[in-house]
Structures are given as C-alpha cells and as structure tokens.
Amino acid sequence: QVQLVESGGGLVQPGGSLRLSCAASGRIFSIYDMAWYRQAPGKQRESVAAVTSGGSTNYADSVKGRFTISRDNAENLVYLQMNSLKPEDTAVYYCNAAISSYRLGSVVRYWGQGTQVTVSS
C-alpha cells in the first residue's frame, strides 16, 4: 500500500507565505507526476500545480508567479511554496501522485488526506 501525507498548512495573513510538503511512503517502485490540488468550501477540487518526474512544471493561472512546485525524487517528496497568499487561496490542499508499486505494475493515482490553508487577517 502507498500513503501520501501532507504537512505545512495553517493560518497566514494576506501577503504571507507557507510551504506545504507531501511525503510518499509504502510500496513504491516509481513515482511519475506529482501534483497539488485544492478545494475551497462549496467549490470543486481544482488543480493548482504539477511536476513531472523530469521536473517539468505547470500551474493554474490563478497561482502563476506566486506558487512554486518542486520535488525531491530521492526522498519521494513534493513541495508547494506559496508566496503572496490571498484570501481566495483559502482551501484544503491535497497532494496527488501517480505511482507504480512494481516494476511492471499498473500506475495508480493516490491522494493525501489534505491540509487546511487559511489566509485571513
């Protein structure tokens, strides 16, 4: 089995910064793309940022220039550095990763349990 565990959420004032981390553990042979999603109250879950195993990244227009996604392949970690935070960034942030557990195994997408980010004065 595979687990994704997020950390780093919390309460921050507008204009502030937070760094989210997500650690993948368990039966892992290879991790492909990793991503961060978020879901605000009453809204659908949306993609925030993604990074491939080779390091290519893409971002939602709403966070471009403010958020940076990165990963540590050796430690099975993915990060989301969030700067210039706005109240509209308030949401539960979820880690997502495409993982195969065996050399010729199928690729399965896993989700973390989520971490709350609240931007408020």
Side-chain angles (χ1 to χ4, degrees):
Q1 189 61 295
V2 172
Q3 299 83 37
L4 298 180
V5 178
E6 301 101 334
S7 61
L11 173 65
V12 63
Q13 292 186 342
S17 298
L18 280 176
R19 188 193 197 206
L20 304 183
S21 301
C22 173
S25 63
R27 180 84 187 186
I28 297 171
F29 176 77
S30 185
I31 302 179
Y32 300 91
D33 59 285
M34 305 182 83
W36 288 94
Y37 287 72
R38 67 186 181 187
Q39 187 166 21
K43 295 188 177 181
Q44 289 189 329
R45 191 172 297 188
E46 62 176 359
S47 175
V48 175
V51 58
T52 68
S53 56
S56 296
T57 59
N58 63 74
Y59 298 90
D61 288 343
S62 59
V63 307
K64 280 182 182 176
R66 300 188 298 122
F67 291 11
T68 302
I69 188 171
S70 60
R71 63 189 286 172
D72 181 337
N73 291 331
E75 299 295 331
N76 294 337
L77 293 164
V78 63
Y79 304 100
L80 186 68
Q81 177 66 44
M82 305 185 293
N83 299 327
S84 302
L85 282 160
K86 304 175 181 180
E88 51 263 43
D89 294 317
T90 295
V92 177
Y93 283 70
Y94 297 91
C95 176
N96 176 274
I99 296 173
S100 63
S101 294
Y102 304 91
R103 181 173 175 269
L104 297 177
S106 57
V107 178
V108 178
R109 285 208 166 270
Y110 293 91
W111 291 92
Q113 81 288 351
T115 185
Q116 177 69 47
V117 172
T118 302
V119 184
S120 175
S121 54

